Amino acid sequence: MNLSDLYGNQINGNQINEKQLIDKLEQQHCLTKEEWTELISRRNSQTAEYLFEKARYWQHKYFGNKVYTRGLIEFTNYCKNDCYYCGIRRSNRQAERYRLTKEQILECCAIGYELGFRTYVLQGGEDGWFTQEKLEDIVRTIKERYPDCALTLSIGERSFESYQRLFEAGADRYLLRHETAEDAHYQNLHPPELSSENRKQCLRNLKEIGFQTGTGFMVGSPGQTPEQLAEDMLFIHELQPHMVGIGPFVPHHETPFAKETGGTVELTLFMIGLLRLMQPKLLLPSTTALGTIDPLGREKGIQAGANVVMPNLSPTSVRKKYELYDNKICTGDEAAECRMCLNRRMESIGYELVTDRGDYPF
Ligand code: 5AD
Ligand code: FES
């Protein structure tokens, strides 16, 4: 049997084949690498609509019209890494570096709590100034003050022991995007000292320790092919994470990728829909990067199957400095404005932002 028989391309026409692949995905929650590649490369607006309808069905089954919200606190933009795509890479001498004090972080939490946030995400570059002890102390203090809140860390690659101690200090969740699952592509996006193998091992360690674990990847990063996106889906299927954050690659003017083309809304939405069908209970954010390249990007993300938004709680004085990519939205808005803005945006499409920890529905 040749490939076109296998997919029935000549008999049924492409569209039916893609719909069949979507049906198979919905029933079996996985596809082969060839099938992922086919589906991703042959997608069109009709298959996308078919996919999104099914994605919304599963989203409603597990989450109703509720959208979870996380308060993001970007507490340091110092970073020892030099990823080619990232605006806070260590080689960017133009980046104005900052660190929040423990008191400032706690102040963000206090403001967030008042606004109804029950999950805090502490995100930062890989900044050695925040030692293991300092981090554990911050985690403990936040969990003591807000025992009803979940605490997520997003502070990069660390040892098993370090992760273990942060978990014991009270952190509930950890976000570490794998960025791209294929080794060669990973090497094209990162300096030689970073490896996709180590990244994946960190993710396995986090899961083993007991964190609700989030991975993710950029859509449309330089050189990305449908085969590589297929690898991303296979890796995620193997890992079975609790969260997957994806957003379009957006060029940053002070990086080696300044002149590269960014990812599209269309492909990002399609990947969100696929993720919802592959793992129906997944926590799936509609990301700021998506909102940056399209004024209605976050709404569209929810309508494609996402169920989380992560507005910023960082003080407005530092917002602009945590610029991973150009034109990042919300850098001038107070946390309360973002909360209200997102309330309105979600209501406009028939969804509701909820005050809830928003754990993975085990
Ligand atoms: N465009 C889009 N996303 C980016 N990130 C970093 N730089 C960029 C960029 N230029 C993403 C990475 C990282 C997350 C915190 O932000 O995927 O894991
Ligand atoms: Fe920040 Fe709309 S979400 S201003």
Side-chain angles (χ1 to χ4, degrees):
M1 187 160 51
N2 66 29
L3 258 188
S4 48
D5 288 334
L6 189 62
Y7 297 112
N9 290 347
Q10 287 157 356
I11 306 161
N12 298 324
N14 289 339
Q15 201 181 305
I16 293 175
N17 300 321
E18 288 139 31
K19 286 187 177 172
Q20 285 168 341
L21 286 176
I22 291 172
D23 292 342
K24 178 177 173 196
L25 173 61
E26 186 180 32
Q27 284 151 21
Q28 301 183 13
H29 304 299
C30 201
L31 298 175
T32 65
K33 179 166 178 193
E34 291 68 32
E35 289 170 335
W36 281 122
T37 308
E38 279 282 320
L39 181 53
I40 293 165
S41 28
R42 291 169 176 274
R43 72 188 189 279
N44 60 30
S45 56
Q46 277 169 306
T47 45
E49 249 338 292
Y50 187 72
L51 170 66
F52 298 154
E53 234 171 78
K54 288 186 183 292
R56 285 192 294 267
Y57 168 85
W58 290 101
Q59 174 200 51
H60 272 83
K61 182 172 165 80
Y62 289 115
F63 304 99
N65 72 338
K66 293 186 175 24
V67 173
Y68 295 140
T69 179
R70 325 291 194 200
L72 184 63
I73 304 169
E74 297 156 337
F75 71 101
T76 172
N77 72 349
Y78 282 84
C79 191
K80 70 174 165 60
N81 289 335
D82 218 13
C83 309
Y84 302 150
Y85 45 84
C86 183
I88 63 167
R89 66 200 297 269
R90 70 159 186 265
S91 297
N92 180 6
R93 300 276 175 279
Q94 303 305 316
E96 227 184 291
R97 305 287 169 173
Y98 74 91
R99 293 182 179 107
L100 299 186
T101 62
K102 180 181 173 188
E103 289 63 38
Q104 284 176 306
I105 295 172
L106 289 167
E107 179 62 20
C108 294
C109 294
I111 293 170
Y113 197 88
E114 281 303 305
L115 292 171
F117 290 98
R118 294 296 177 269
T119 292
Y120 303 118
V121 182
L122 286 186
Q123 185 173 89
E126 294 194 15
D127 177 5
W129 187 89
F130 284 96
T131 56
Q132 183 71 26
E133 289 65 34
K134 284 190 179 121
L135 290 168
E136 286 175 29
D137 173 55
I138 292 168
V139 168
R140 265 199 207 92
T141 310
I142 294 177
K143 289 296 287 191
E144 265 161 32
R145 266 192 213 181
Y146 305 100
D148 54 333
C149 292
L151 182 55
T152 306
L153 298 177
S154 177
I155 48 178
E157 297 178 21
R158 310 178 68 85
S159 67
F160 188 97
E161 292 67 34
S162 165
Y163 286 149
Q164 177 84 53
R165 282 170 54 188
L166 290 165
F167 185 72
E168 282 159 13
D172 304 276
R173 308 183 186 141
Y174 205 103
L175 303 179
L176 183 74
R177 292 184 176 182
H178 69 273
E179 310 297 0
T180 179
E182 195 204 70
D183 276 339
H185 189 227
Y186 193 93
Q187 287 311 322
N188 291 337
L189 304 182
H190 299 93
E193 64 270 18
L194 294 174
S195 78
S196 84
E197 208 24 69
N198 193 53
R199 195 94 181 161
K200 289 173 181 167
Q201 190 52 49
C202 285
L203 282 160
R204 294 187 191 104
N205 292 348
L206 288 162
K207 254 201 102 182
E208 185 186 330
I209 290 166
F211 283 102
Q212 286 185 46
T213 302
T215 188
F217 56 92
M218 284 180 293
V219 176
S221 56
Q224 188 180 61
T225 62
E227 285 80 3
Q228 290 161 353
L229 287 167
E231 291 282 356
D232 288 316
M233 298 307 278
L234 293 176
F235 171 70
I236 292 168
H237 186 256
E238 174 205 318
L239 182 68
Q240 291 287 309
H242 306 93
M243 294 169 263
V244 175
I246 67 168
F249 160 69
V250 183
H252 184 287
H253 62 283
E254 289 290 344
T255 64
F257 289 164
K259 296 270 178 303
E260 299 288 339
T261 312
T264 64
V265 180
E266 181 271 321
L267 181 53
T268 307
L269 296 176
F270 196 76
M271 297 310 298
I272 288 176
L274 294 180
L275 285 162
R276 173 62 63 214
L277 286 203
M278 182 167 80
Q279 234 184 288
K281 295 183 185 173
L282 201 57
L283 296 164
L284 199 46
S286 192
T287 54
T288 306
L290 192 52
T292 294
I293 63 165
D294 181 332
L296 294 177
R298 285 167 300 175
E299 288 88 329
K300 291 177 185 171
I302 299 294
Q303 289 171 313
N307 64 335
V308 176
V309 288
M310 297 175 63
N312 210 306
L313 281 181
S314 313
T316 41
S317 57
V318 304
R319 290 273 181 99
K320 186 82 188 124
K321 299 177 188 162
Y322 201 85
E323 205 189 31
L324 307 180
Y325 45 82
D326 287 343
N327 306 316
K328 188 174 160 204
I329 52 169
C330 297
T331 54
D333 301 282
E334 294 291 346
E337 294 175 68
C338 286
R339 169 80 202 202
M340 281 180 322
C341 168
L342 279 170
N343 262 341
R344 278 197 307 275
R345 285 172 181 270
M346 295 302 117
E347 278 170 18
S348 78
I349 53 168
Y351 289 78
E352 184 198 353
L353 270 195
V354 290
T355 296
D356 193 301
R357 277 173 52 118
D359 286 293
Y360 186 83
F362 285 99

